[in-house]
Amino acid sequence: MRKEIPPNANSLIMSMRSLGYSLNNAVADIIDNSISAKATKIDIICSWDNQEPFVEIKDNGIGMTSEELEEAMRLGSKNPLHERDKEDLGRFGLGLKTASFSQAKKLIVKTKQNENTYAAIWDLDLIEKENKWFMDLEKLDGKNAFKEKGTTIRWEKIDTLEKKDKINAQEYFESVTNQLIKHISLVFHRYISGDYGNKIIFTVNGNICISADPFFKEKSTTQPAEIIANKCKVISYALPHHTNCTSEEWEYHGGEEGYLENQGFYLYRNGRLICKSTWFGLARKLEMRKLCRISIDIDNSSDAEWQLDVKKSRATPPQQVRGRLRDLIHAFSRPAIKKFAKRAKALINKQKSPIWERFVSTDRQIIYKISKDHPSIKFLLNSLSEELADEAEKIFSLVEKRIPLQLISSDYAENPKNLITEELTIKEILDHAKNIIDYYIKQGLSVEDSYDILKGIDIFRENWESIKDSL
Ligand SMILES: Nc1ncnc2c1ncn2[C@@H]1O[C@H](COP(=O)(O)OP(=O)(O)OP(=O)(O)O)[C@@H](O)[C@H]1O
Ligand SMILES: [Mg+2]
């Protein structure tokens, strides 16, 4: 006996709604369809509308006929195994439905390709009531008909907000709208700038999205592109050190999560960002690699190998690519590591008589200690009785052992330009200089020789003009 067993509408809907889309990913999935339909302008409206929030995504793409619309509303409208047009951003024949239902219980699609405009509606409350996949499809006339071809997707009954109280829900809705602008600016940055395909203008509630290229190409150093396994193109970027850009540039390119978090691979499929700032488990996120970002470009013929997920927000590099990517992380990290190591060395060498000394043990542990050779420290220890000098050394040792390294390094990682050391005043510099000269004269040195020693120390040399007449 053969029997047709259609899926149970209610249970299927519930599972489909929990695929784990965020609002950002859901809107991006709808935008993919508009891009595949050759849109050049995509306008998004998110409205609180007196506690009846709705989201609308309107494009000027090729639109659909009534038959195409009917097919588009079907779950699994296309077979994921079928070859797609090479510019198509779709794969599973699901996105329109799964993305919409993840956020809202009512999906309205209006579209015009030729002379007529059609609307199709899925209302989950009605499906639930009848436990049947009934959809409304109608022709729109008069003022409801579109003047130009294109498609509008509208979500109503956005119940992802229901759990929150009303005031919080509105605030939440506004903050997700702002996040959405950032998300689109990043995920579709190549389309916005015209780097990939036709240039597309995106607006969210009337605000134009500005391309947010994560690689800061104007100031980054780049390695030549490499093609792996004939299919994926990889380019690495070492972003500029904070001393080579303005505070605004540094802040902006760090992104909300900061440089440490935003290092990693950025995977693009047909020019659209799929996932970002991940080493795909091939390496750890390290401070010394925080300026490294590597772009990987694949096209839609690699979807199965990369295990692209329905939400288009996750993928895994195939085995034949992983080994090479691992090598590249290390090779590609080198410019940034070199920059880092060079800078550390330069800083240490900069001062002839540094107050802090850096010791590296044989097992590569690094310790910072206060230098007993610094003239000011020498002066202090020699002017104290033996007992007090011992006490002072104990205090130095305490300070050395209690440097808040983690706090400093996390402040530095987050915002190096805000982490400052207070400047000495000229009076303080002068007092130190006088003490040192007194000390050396007492040791039997001539005034000229003591001056020479002073001039060998950065802080006095740099301020020599201001202090020399008062010594
Ligand atoms: N804005 C649009 N303009 C024109 N056609 C569209 C639009 N949105 C959807 N379609 C049509 O509806 C079909 C189904 O869309 P849906 O997003 O559900 O699946 P898909 O894009 O084919 O694959 P995926 O699940 O990977 O997104 C699309 O293949 C396309 O033919
Ligand atoms: Mg789609």
Side-chain angles (χ1 to χ4, degrees):
M1 183 177 66
R2 286 178 80 204
K3 260 181 117 178
E4 189 190 356
I5 318 242
N8 178 313
N10 278 339
S11 335
L12 188 61
I13 285 174
M14 286 325 292
S15 346
M16 245 174 43
R17 299 202 71 194
S18 1
L19 283 173
Y21 277 95
S22 62
L23 179 89
N24 290 347
N25 288 337
V27 172
D29 214 343
I30 301 296
I31 290 175
D32 283 351
N33 290 340
S34 300
I35 295 178
S36 300
K38 312 264 178 288
T40 53
K41 186 143 195 304
I42 299 171
D43 298 306
I44 296 140
I45 305 283
C46 297
S47 172
W48 177 245
D49 199 22
N50 220 3
Q51 294 165 20
E52 292 286 329
F54 69 84
V55 171
E56 226 172 59
I57 299 131
K58 176 175 184 289
D59 72 49
N60 65 350
I62 56 173
M64 288 175 267
T65 62
S66 68
E67 294 77 23
E68 284 170 347
L69 174 59
E70 199 178 317
E71 199 46 37
M73 299 297 274
R74 186 193 295 278
L75 282 168
S77 53
K78 287 188 181 167
N79 186 332
L81 299 176
H82 287 174
E83 199 174 314
R84 295 259 184 166
D85 181 284
K86 88 178 185 341
E87 299 303 330
D88 196 340
L89 288 170
R91 167 58 51 199
F92 302 97
L94 284 173
L96 171 62
K97 289 73 63 174
T98 47
S100 304
F101 296 155
S102 73
Q103 306 299 309
K105 289 175 97 176
K106 191 168 178 184
L107 160 67
I108 305 164
V109 183
K110 295 182 186 171
T111 189
K112 172 175 168 161
Q113 185 172 90
N114 304 315
E115 61 278 7
N116 294 325
T117 308
Y118 297 94
I121 304 172
W122 276 129
D123 186 331
L124 298 188
D125 286 333
L126 296 182
I127 297 178
E128 208 177 328
K129 217 155 107 196
E130 308 191 28
N131 201 11
K132 285 241 158 52
W133 292 102
F134 281 129
M135 182 190 81
D136 291 306
L137 180 72
E138 57 178 308
K139 181 165 160 274
L140 299 178
D141 293 310
K143 67 174 178 19
N144 291 327
F146 286 180
K147 289 195 180 65
E148 310 286 342
K149 66 178 164 53
T151 303
T152 298
I153 309 296
R154 185 179 164 104
W155 298 338
E156 290 179 7
K157 301 189 185 173
I158 301 184
D159 62 343
T160 37
L161 302 175
E162 251 173 23
K163 280 172 239 94
K164 305 182 172 61
D165 65 69
K166 282 177 180 148
I167 296 168
N168 275 344
Q170 177 169 9
E171 264 176 31
Y172 170 72
F173 195 74
E174 279 162 12
S175 83
V176 289
T177 306
N178 292 333
Q179 288 301 320
L180 183 61
I181 298 182
K182 289 190 187 148
H183 190 72
I184 294 173
S185 306
L186 176 66
V187 169
F188 298 100
H189 72 90
R190 293 201 190 154
Y191 289 94
I192 297 172
S193 65
D195 276 354
Y196 190 98
N198 289 333
K199 204 173 169 139
I200 300 176
I201 298 169
F202 291 86
T203 66
V204 177
N205 290 353
N207 302 298
I208 292 187
C209 299
I210 312 283
S211 165
D213 187 330
F215 301 108
F216 195 8
K217 293 187 183 116
E218 300 85 357
K219 291 199 175 172
S220 295
T221 27
T222 321
Q223 303 277 336
E226 171 171 340
I227 310 288
I228 308 176
N230 284 332
K231 272 202 172 157
C232 77
K233 181 172 151 196
V234 182
I235 304 180
S236 81
Y237 299 87
L239 269 68
H241 190 265
H242 72 87
T243 48
N244 293 333
C245 52
T246 64
S247 306
E248 291 75 25
E249 286 173 336
W250 175 259
E251 184 100 345
Y252 176 76
H253 290 281
E256 258 171 38
E257 306 84 357
Y259 283 91
L260 188 65
E261 185 51 39
N262 276 334
Q263 63 183 287
F265 291 115
Y266 286 66
L267 177 70
Y268 292 81
R269 170 179 177 268
N270 282 9
R272 181 261 214 230
L273 187 65
I274 297 290
C275 49
K276 73 181 242 314
S277 53
T278 166
W279 290 124
F280 292 126
L282 298 169
R284 279 184 302 140
K285 290 193 174 173
L286 296 179
E287 173 73 19
M288 71 175 177
R289 273 201 280 267
K290 74 173 186 182
L291 298 178
C292 292
R293 297 183 188 174
I294 302 180
S295 72
I296 305 178
D297 271 275
I298 56 171
D299 61 27
N300 64 9
S301 65
S302 308
D303 292 347
E305 291 155 52
W306 280 77
Q307 296 170 42
L308 180 76
D309 78 331
V310 171
K311 303 195 295 287
K312 320 267 173 23
S313 61
R314 214 178 297 156
T316 312
Q319 208 51 45
Q320 66 266 36
V321 170
R322 291 181 79 82
R324 185 63 193 141
L325 288 186
R326 192 180 288 116
D327 294 346
L328 287 174
I329 296 172
H330 299 293
F332 282 169
S333 307
R334 241 174 258 140
I337 293 173
K338 257 196 221 149
K339 268 189 197 172
F340 195 79
K342 210 169 102 191
R343 207 164 292 275
K345 219 168 144 196
L347 281 173
I348 297 294
N349 291 340
K350 199 175 153 203
Q351 290 186 321
K352 276 200 187 137
S353 304
I355 202 142
W356 284 101
E357 280 182 322
R358 180 176 184 266
F359 295 89
V360 184
S361 67
T362 42
D363 52 357
R364 289 162 66 199
Q365 288 195 313
I366 302 163
I367 296 176
Y368 281 86
K369 283 176 176 281
I370 294 172
S371 167
K372 309 289 175 320
D373 288 331
H374 188 278
S376 297
I377 308 286
K378 257 192 194 164
F379 161 73
L380 174 72
L381 293 177
N382 280 299
S383 3
L384 296 173
S385 66
E386 212 168 298
E387 213 173 296
L388 280 177
D390 276 353
E391 281 310 309
E393 291 213 34
K394 278 184 201 154
I395 291 172
F396 289 153
S397 163
L398 187 69
V399 172
E400 286 162 355
K401 287 173 183 158
R402 287 286 176 273
I403 308 173
L405 285 179
Q406 280 177 348
L407 208 58
I408 294 175
S409 64
S410 91
D411 282 340
Y412 187 80
E414 258 164 46
N415 206 336
K417 289 206 190 275
N418 283 5
L419 186 66
I420 53 164
T421 42
E422 278 186 277
E423 294 290 328
L424 286 166
T425 63
I426 293 295
K427 178 164 182 317
E428 283 169 327
I429 297 170
L430 190 62
D431 285 348
H432 278 299
K434 280 180 177 162
N435 285 339
I436 290 169
I437 290 171
D438 280 356
Y439 166 72
Y440 281 122
I441 288 174
K442 273 190 200 136
Q443 299 287 313
L445 256 65
S446 68
V447 175
E448 285 68 32
D449 286 346
S450 326
Y451 279 16
D452 281 347
I453 293 175
L454 270 194
K455 283 192 223 160
I457 302 170
D458 276 357
I459 186 78
F460 302 120
R461 191 179 51 249
E462 282 157 14
N463 294 285
W464 193 248
E465 284 308 307
S466 318
I467 59 172
K468 69 171 197 255
D469 295 332
S470 315
L471 284 172

